[in-house]
Amino acid sequence: MVSPTTHKRGVVLVADDDPVMRLLMIEMLGQVGLDGIEAEDGKQAVAYFQGMAPDLILLDVEMPNMDGFSACREIRRIETGAPVPIIMVTGGDDIEAVTSAYEAGATDFVSKPINWPILGHRVLYVLRASDAIVRLRMADAHNRAVLAAIPDTFFRLNRDGVYLDYEPGNEMQGHDAIAAFSVETCVGKHITEVLPRDIADRLLEQMRGVLDTLHVRSVDYELVRFGVIHHYEARLVATGASEVLGLVRDISERKRTEEQIRRLAYCDSLTGIPNRQAFLETLERELHRSKVGNKKFAVLFMDLDAFKRINDTLGHNVGDHLLKIVSERLRETTRPSDLVSRGDQSHNLARLGGDEFTILIPDLERVENALAVAHRVKEAMRRPFLIEGNEIFVTASIGISLFPEDGDDCNSLLKFADTAMYHAKNCGKNNAKLYSSSLTMQIMSHVKLEVGLRKALKNEELYLLYQPQIDVRTGDIVGVEALVRWRHPERGIISPTEFIPLAEETGLIVPIGEWVLRTACKQAMAWQRVAKRSLRMAVNLSAKQFKDENLTQIVVSALHDTGLDPRLLELELTEGTLMDDARATMATLEQLRGIGVHLSIDDFGTGYSSMNYLKRFDVRALKIDKSFISGLPQDSENAAITRAIIAMAHGLKMVVVAEGVETDAQLGLLQEYGCDLVQGFYLGHPSPHEAITQMLLQPCAEPTPTK
Ligand code: C2E
Ligand code: MG
Ligand code: MG
């Protein structure tokens, strides 16, 4: 209730030709805190209204000059008169007067005789009601102004999905005037008659949610308008128990910007294919999908072999161009149709950076399928690349990790595929390797072995065995080959086939090789003293040692310090070592020849070398690899090869050594073929120096089989 004392005093215009009535009315109004202005007739009432703007008018029906009905109509015609509450004072039971009063625009009426104590309250009530209406009108005007100011389209829907209202937004008005969306086309229609069914259904569903929860919800959808796809966002808000207000905004521009940002963030700028970030996210999704669906997938990690060399020698432009073509070839190779049947595969290929690419193979049924893709990728890379007039040849090394076998998180899977790729590179490039948990074990033990190997020399865990080389014609020991062994404190004796590659990788081969050389030379001198015989000492050299620029110096000082005649030292090299870089090889060989040491080709026949070069390199001996000897004498093909090698070597004035002679029959055949020297278990196992000393002290003319 509004209290008369606290309320700002309202002003009531009282129009009655009867002064007593006016007096009484003013008095009663005063009781409820209202002030009164008196008018004697209708004309005066209209004039006073314009001048004084009262808050309410009490109009008697019957007045001279202008009656109440006419005055009421007059006031309503005035602009400020429309909202002012007007109470008509009618005669007794005059129903007709009541009807005329409303028709003239009255707000309410009181009938005579007036119930005086009620009058004041009645007036107050009408004032409050009209106040509320004014506020409502203002709020409505305000809302409409707000809606007009924002670019959104707005509509109201009832609970059944029928449009109650529709107001096209600024940016749509042009289109909507001619398009299907306007007040005329929408209001009164069901939403399914206006919008495509699927969109309408989504809006209806969300609308029900909004009405149930009273929370704002939004729906994104697309509409093709005038041939262009537009993206819209409709926000729905409940405006009552059964009505929803919708605000629709064209968010096409925002979508375009988002798409552009997404492209920048997820695309490799050089090749246009997805980048690392995109790949990681794809991988994350695939991981989840595969976990849920109990499926397998593979991650392929590809790295170009010798990409750096191309970049360095032909320039970055060529390098960049190459990467682009590589990514195109990869895209072709991993095209969805022949990879898997699932939808969008565009993110399954990515460039992580540099020359590193990854491929995701989802829904893997068999590991072989991943290997088949790897094979196709390798083949695709092998085709020559024609760039700026250069014909470029590259190969790729590929590592593969598998979910769930190898790991169950993205980082591990990617890391393991990378590890497997390195493994593939170490196995001779242009290779594809699977990562498997056993590979980790292998690497772990590799690392442990490396730590041990670093200490092996200092801890005197290395030692040499010597295997005799026998002259086929005389049966005499004419030389030995020094073969290194490692007595590992925990693992026992480790074969050089296991630790020499590791020593090569880590560079430890250089100090180890030097130790072997010195120890072997020293031993050769010791035998000279004890047995009074000169034995040729063969020492294996690995590729890394051969490339070491200090090699000549190391050989010279070993010979010098031990006093061994250089002609008694024979360095064994493999074909691969020699052919790697013919020009550098030539220079090193010349230096070694200058010292006076001999060279032989180890494991001959397993590699690839040109006879021409061997002749130029001035090689003293060829050691036929044991793989040719082991099948003899039954294996006629190997017999023919062995025979041919011997003949050819003799033609080039080279000595021939047969390795791995294990039987008498093999020895017999080699004798028949004219082989010069033999080495093998049949003639003597690699043995400690004491055992060789024993053999040297026994005078013998025939080959002495041991075991
Ligand atoms: P390699 O130089 O070809 O040495 C011959 C290998 O054949 C030796 O293996 C030897 O034990 C084995 N062998 C000898 N006779 C027979 C036979 O009748 N039948 C069979 N099946 N095998 C026979 P080992 O000692 O295990 O050495 C393996 C390889 O390790 C060597 O092959 C050589 O390449 C390398 N190596 C050994 N010592 C050294 C070294 O001090 N430095 C370097 N760089 N490499 C070495
Ligand atoms: Mg050898
Ligand atoms: Mg060999």
Side-chain angles (χ1 to χ4, degrees), residues 467 481 484-485 496 516 540 602-603 626 659-660 662 680-681 686:
Q467 187 174 34
E481 177 177 2
V484 70
R485 296 288 180 271
V516 168
N540 292 286
D602 204 353
D603 306 341
K626 51 182 173 286
E659 284 190 292
E662 293 181 352
F681 295 164

Side-chain angles (χ1 to χ4, degrees), residues 658-674:
E659 284 190 292
V661 180
E662 293 181 352
T663 66
D664 191 43
Q666 290 168 348
L667 179 63
L669 198 66
L670 290 163
Q671 231 161 1
E672 188 190 315
Y673 290 164

Side-chain angles (χ1 to χ4, degrees), residues 15 39-47 59 63-68 71 75:
E40 293 170 9
D41 56 38
K43 263 213 164 106
Q44 212 171 48
V46 175
L59 268 183
M63 285 185 291
N65 286 329
M66 186 188 277
D67 69 8
I75 291 168

Side-chain angles (χ1 to χ4, degrees), residues 297-414:
F297 67 86
V299 176
L300 262 69
F301 198 113
M302 186 200 91
D303 186 283
L304 295 180
D305 299 322
F307 176 70
K308 192 180 170 313
R309 210 190 57 218
I310 292 164
N311 242 349
D312 291 349
T313 53
L314 299 173
H316 286 260
N317 275 348
V318 174
D320 285 356
H321 201 143
L322 176 67
L323 290 176
K324 279 190 213 168
I325 307 180
V326 163
S327 75
E328 273 162 30
R329 286 194 190 173
L330 284 175
R331 213 188 328 230
E332 280 163 27
T333 320
T334 57
R335 195 159 268 165
S337 58
D338 65 307
L339 243 193
V340 267
S341 53
R342 202 154 54 82
D344 178 21
Q345 300 292 314
S346 55
H347 274 72
N348 289 349
L349 166 69
R351 176 175 170 233
L352 295 198
D355 59 341
E356 292 176 347
F357 292 84
T358 44
I359 299 165
L360 174 72
I361 308 175
D363 300 328
L364 194 71
E365 274 162 18
R366 300 164 64 230
V367 179
E368 288 83 341
N369 297 354
L371 288 169
V373 175
H375 179 73
R376 284 214 305 272
V377 167
K378 270 180 14 185
E379 288 305 304
M381 294 305 127
R382 272 160 67 105
R383 295 202 312 271
F385 292 81
L386 207 88
I387 299 170
E388 294 178 14
N390 300 292
E391 203 177 32
I392 299 172
F393 291 88
V394 297
T395 55
S397 294
I398 300 169
I400 304 166
S401 66
L402 304 171
F403 172 83
E405 288 88 342
D406 295 333
D408 65 354
D409 69 284
C410 295
N411 283 336
S412 304
L413 286 166
L414 201 58

Side-chain angles (χ1 to χ4, degrees), residues 277-549:
Q277 185 56 32
F279 188 76
L280 283 175
E281 287 181 20
T282 306
L283 198 56
E284 197 72 61
R285 276 194 300 276
E286 187 54 40
L287 190 71
H288 180 71
R289 204 184 71 92
S290 296
K291 276 182 183 169
V292 171
N294 213 5
K295 289 174 180 291
K296 296 177 172 215
F297 67 86
V299 176
L300 262 69
F301 198 113
M302 186 200 91
D303 186 283
L304 295 180
D305 299 322
F307 176 70
K308 192 180 170 313
R309 210 190 57 218
I310 292 164
N311 242 349
D312 291 349
T313 53
L314 299 173
H316 286 260
N317 275 348
V318 174
D320 285 356
H321 201 143
L322 176 67
L323 290 176
K324 279 190 213 168
I325 307 180
V326 163
S327 75
E328 273 162 30
R329 286 194 190 173
L330 284 175
R331 213 188 328 230
E332 280 163 27
T333 320
T334 57
R335 195 159 268 165
S337 58
D338 65 307
L339 243 193
V340 267
S341 53
R342 202 154 54 82
D344 178 21
Q345 300 292 314
S346 55
H347 274 72
N348 289 349
L349 166 69
R351 176 175 170 233
L352 295 198
D355 59 341
E356 292 176 347
F357 292 84
T358 44
I359 299 165
L360 174 72
I361 308 175
D363 300 328
L364 194 71
E365 274 162 18
R366 300 164 64 230
V367 179
E368 288 83 341
N369 297 354
L371 288 169
V373 175
H375 179 73
R376 284 214 305 272
V377 167
K378 270 180 14 185
E379 288 305 304
M381 294 305 127
R382 272 160 67 105
R383 295 202 312 271
F385 292 81
L386 207 88
I387 299 170
E388 294 178 14
N390 300 292
E391 203 177 32
I392 299 172
F393 291 88
V394 297
T395 55
S397 294
I398 300 169
I400 304 166
S401 66
L402 304 171
F403 172 83
E405 288 88 342
D406 295 333
D408 65 354
D409 69 284
C410 295
N411 283 336
S412 304
L413 286 166
L414 201 58
K415 195 178 77 195
F416 292 157
D418 188 16
T419 309
M421 184 278 291
Y422 271 102
H423 183 59
K425 269 206 200 300
N426 284 335
C427 291
K429 307 199 168 153
N430 192 28
N431 236 314
K433 287 280 175 214
L434 281 169
Y435 180 89
S436 63
S437 303
S438 64
L439 185 60
T440 326
M441 303 292 284
Q442 206 177 314
I443 290 166
M444 294 272 287
S445 68
H446 212 68
V447 170
K448 258 172 89 178
L449 203 65
E450 184 188 325
V451 172
L453 190 59
R454 289 189 186 278
K455 293 188 269 185
L457 257 186
K458 194 169 65 138
N459 294 350
E460 298 187 348
E461 289 163 13
L462 299 181
Y463 65 96
L464 294 184
L465 293 181
Y466 303 91
Q467 187 174 34
Q469 292 184 338
I470 310 292
D471 185 321
V472 177
R473 264 162 296 141
T474 64
D476 279 349
I477 302 186
V478 291
V480 292
E481 177 177 2
L483 295 160
V484 70
R485 296 288 180 271
W486 178 12
R487 193 181 288 111
H488 191 279
E490 287 155 25
R491 287 186 44 190
I493 292 166
I494 300 180
S495 153
T497 48
E498 188 175 345
F499 73 86
I500 292 290
L502 180 65
E504 282 235 303
E505 247 172 64
T506 54
L508 284 168
I509 191 66
V510 174
I512 290 175
E514 185 173 354
W515 176 85
V516 168
L517 195 65
R518 285 178 170 274
T519 311
C521 292
K522 204 155 52 177
Q523 187 56 53
M525 286 305 286
W527 281 323
Q528 276 186 29
R529 282 192 294 273
V530 176
K532 310 274 182 291
R533 282 176 60 181
S534 297
L535 273 192
R536 194 183 302 281
M537 176 61 76
V539 173
N540 292 286
L541 273 198
S542 76
K544 194 101 174 220
Q545 281 173 282
F546 190 69
K547 288 215 178 82
D548 180 24
E549 51 185 24

